[in-house]
Amino acid sequence: MVPPAALPIAKGAHVIELIPRMANRHGLIAGATGTGKTISLRVLAEQFSRIGVPVFLADVKGDLSGLARPGGDSAKIAERAAQLGIAFEPAACPVVFWDLFGRQGHPIRATVSEMGPLLLSRLLNLNETQGGVLALVFKVADDQGLLLLDLKDLRAMLQDVGERAAEIKVKYGNVSTASIGAIQRGLLALEQQGGAQFFGEPVLDLDDLMQTDAQGHGAINVLAADQLMQTPALYSTFLLWLLAELFERLPEVGDPDQPKLVFFFDEAHLLFDDTPKALVEQIERVVRLVRSKGVGVYFCSQSPLDVPEAVLGQLGNRVQHALRAFTPKDQKAVKTAAQTFRANPALDVATAITELGVGEALVSVLDEKGTPTMVERAFIYPPRTRLRPLDADERAAIVQASPLRRRYEETVDRESAFERLRGRTADADAPPAAPPRGGRTPQDELTKAAISIGASVVRSMGTQAGRSLVRGVLGALFGGRRR
C-alpha cells in the first residue's frame, strides 16, 4: 500500500507539509483570540479527513458545523488562495454531530463505572477525603456485583453505604457522613447543570468515531460544545475520559502510515486548571503512550503556557499564531513559545510572534526522521469547507440521515444498583413469604435470581472493560482495582 502524500497546511517561502506518518506524534495550535486558531484546526481536520483519517473535535464556539458543506461563501478565502498562488477547490467533509445533551447531535453516554471515582472526583470538585470515600463506594459496589450505570445508581449506592457505615467500617474503613453529603450535593449540582444526561446507556462505541464514507474520507466527529462550555469541568472531564477510553481499548499499532484517529482538544487549559499533580502525571502518561495506538492528540489553546511542560515536549507539530506581549505573563508566554521551536537563523521568533497577522503563523512539523523542522513564518492554507455554520434545519437533516441515529436516540435503563438496592429494601420490609407453590423452594428462587444477575453482568462486560484505565491506570491513585 502506497503511503498517503504529505498534507499541505501552510505556505511561506515554500509549502509546509505535514507528514501523515508523523501526525500521531501530536501537535499544538496556539495563539491569542482572533488570530486564526480555529481556521488552522479546520484546515488540519479537512486534510486528515481527505486521506481517510477520522477526526474528533469539540465545537466550542458553534462555528465548525460548516465542515459538512463545501466552501466558497467568503471572499477572503478566495483572496488568500490567490495570494498563495493555489487553486481553491470547495469541498465538504463527512460530518457526524454529537452532543452530550442530545440536542444538536447524537447523545454521547458513559456509565458511572466507566468514568470511575478519580474522574468523578475531579468532575464533582471533591477534596482528597471526599474522593477517598467515593472510591470506597465504588469498591463496595464492585464487591457486591452492583452495576453503577447512571447517577441514580450512584445516589442509591451512596445512601446504602451511608446507612451501613458502621458495618462497612470493619472491612473498608471509615465512611464520613459529611463526605457522603458532599458527594450527594455535588451530584445534585451536576444534575442541575444537565450533566446527568451523560451517564447511562447505550454507551458510546469508539468504533463509531472511526468511520469513513463511501469515498474513503474520514468522518469528522463534531461535538456540540457551545452549551457544554458553560460547565467547563464536565467538558474537560468528558474529553479526558474519551482520551482514556481510546488509550484503553485500541490495540497497539506502533507508527502507522497515518493515524487511526486525530483528537483535537480545544480550550486545553481547562484540562489542566486546578488539576491535582497526580492526575496531571497520569494525563502526561496517556498522551505519551496513546500515539502507539495510532491516535494523534492536538491541543488548542491561547498560550503554550496552558500546557504542562512535560506534555508540551511531546507535541511535535506546532502552529503558533500571534501572541500579545502587554503583561509580564504575556511576555513569558512569548518567550516560552519561541523557545519551543527549532531555531531558524533567518528568523527572530520572539519578535515575529507579536507581529503575525490573522491567518499567519509560525509553523514547525516533524520530518521523515521525526525531527522538528526549522520554524518558518507562513500563511495557513484557506479551508475548503463553508465558514458559515449550518442552520438548525441543515444540522437536523444530517443527524436524521445518520445511520447512527437509531443506535443512540433511545436511553436503555436495565437492572443495576438502584433497582437491586430498592428490591433489597422492599424485601426487608415485606412480611414473610408464603410457602412456594408448585414445588419451588426458596433456594430455587435464589438460583433463578443468581442466574438473572449473572446474565446482567455478562451483558455489561463490554461496558465494564472500559473501566480498567480510569479505575486502573488513573484509578490506581485511589487504590481501585481492575474488573
Side-chain angles (χ1 to χ4, degrees), residues 219-236:
I220 298 181
N221 299 275
V222 177
L223 174 69
D226 47 344
Q227 297 180 31
L228 182 59
M229 287 300 295
Q230 298 175 19
T231 53
L234 179 59
Y235 166 78
S236 59

Side-chain angles (χ1 to χ4, degrees), residues 240 271-272 275 279-287 474:
L240 177 55
L271 177 60
F272 302 105
T275 299
L279 180 54
V280 171
E281 290 173 352
Q282 297 300 329
I283 296 171
E284 293 169 359
R285 179 174 182 266
V286 171
V287 172
L474 297 180

Side-chain angles (χ1 to χ4, degrees), residues 148-272:
L148 301 178
L149 303 181
D150 52 28
L151 291 191
K152 73 176 186 298
D153 289 327
L154 183 54
R155 280 193 173 281
M157 198 69 219
L158 285 162
Q159 180 179 344
D160 180 69
V161 168
E163 292 172 348
R164 298 192 296 122
E167 171 192 343
I168 286 173
K169 176 181 177 180
V170 177
K171 182 176 180 181
Y172 298 96
N174 290 327
V175 178
S176 166
T177 303
S179 292
I180 293 286
I183 298 168
Q184 292 281 30
R185 290 191 296 274
L187 291 176
L188 177 61
L190 180 62
E191 289 172 335
Q192 291 174 339
Q193 295 167 355
Q197 298 175 62
F198 171 56
F199 295 98
E201 294 182 313
V203 298
L204 174 66
D205 184 343
L206 296 182
D207 287 341
D208 290 335
L209 299 181
M210 293 181 279
Q211 303 296 315
T212 55
D213 67 5
Q215 288 73 44
H217 299 152
I220 298 181
N221 299 275
V222 177
L223 174 69
D226 47 344
Q227 297 180 31
L228 182 59
M229 287 300 295
Q230 298 175 19
T231 53
L234 179 59
Y235 166 78
S236 59
T237 303
F238 161 71
L239 290 184
L240 177 55
W241 166 80
L242 183 55
L243 183 60
E245 289 291 288
L246 291 167
F247 175 86
E248 165 69 10
R249 299 193 185 189
L250 295 180
E252 295 276 345
V253 294
D255 284 321
D257 288 337
Q258 63 186 43
K260 296 182 67 174
L261 177 73
V262 171
F263 185 100
F264 286 94
F265 205 131
D266 206 354
E267 299 295 337
H269 68 280
L270 295 175
L271 177 60
F272 302 105

Side-chain angles (χ1 to χ4, degrees), residues 28-33 35 37 266-270 272-273 299-308 312 315 318-324 328-338 340 353:
L28 174 72
I29 302 172
T33 300
T35 57
K37 292 193 304 297
D266 206 354
E267 299 295 337
H269 68 280
L270 295 175
F272 302 105
D273 285 352
F299 293 95
C300 306
S301 198
Q302 293 193 21
S303 168
L305 292 178
D306 294 334
V307 182
L312 193 63
L315 311 182
R318 307 283 183 88
V319 177
Q320 176 67 61
H321 290 276
L323 292 175
R324 313 305 179 205
K329 184 178 179 180
D330 294 339
Q331 293 165 6
K332 181 180 178 181
V334 170
K335 183 177 179 180
T336 299
T340 60
I353 289 176

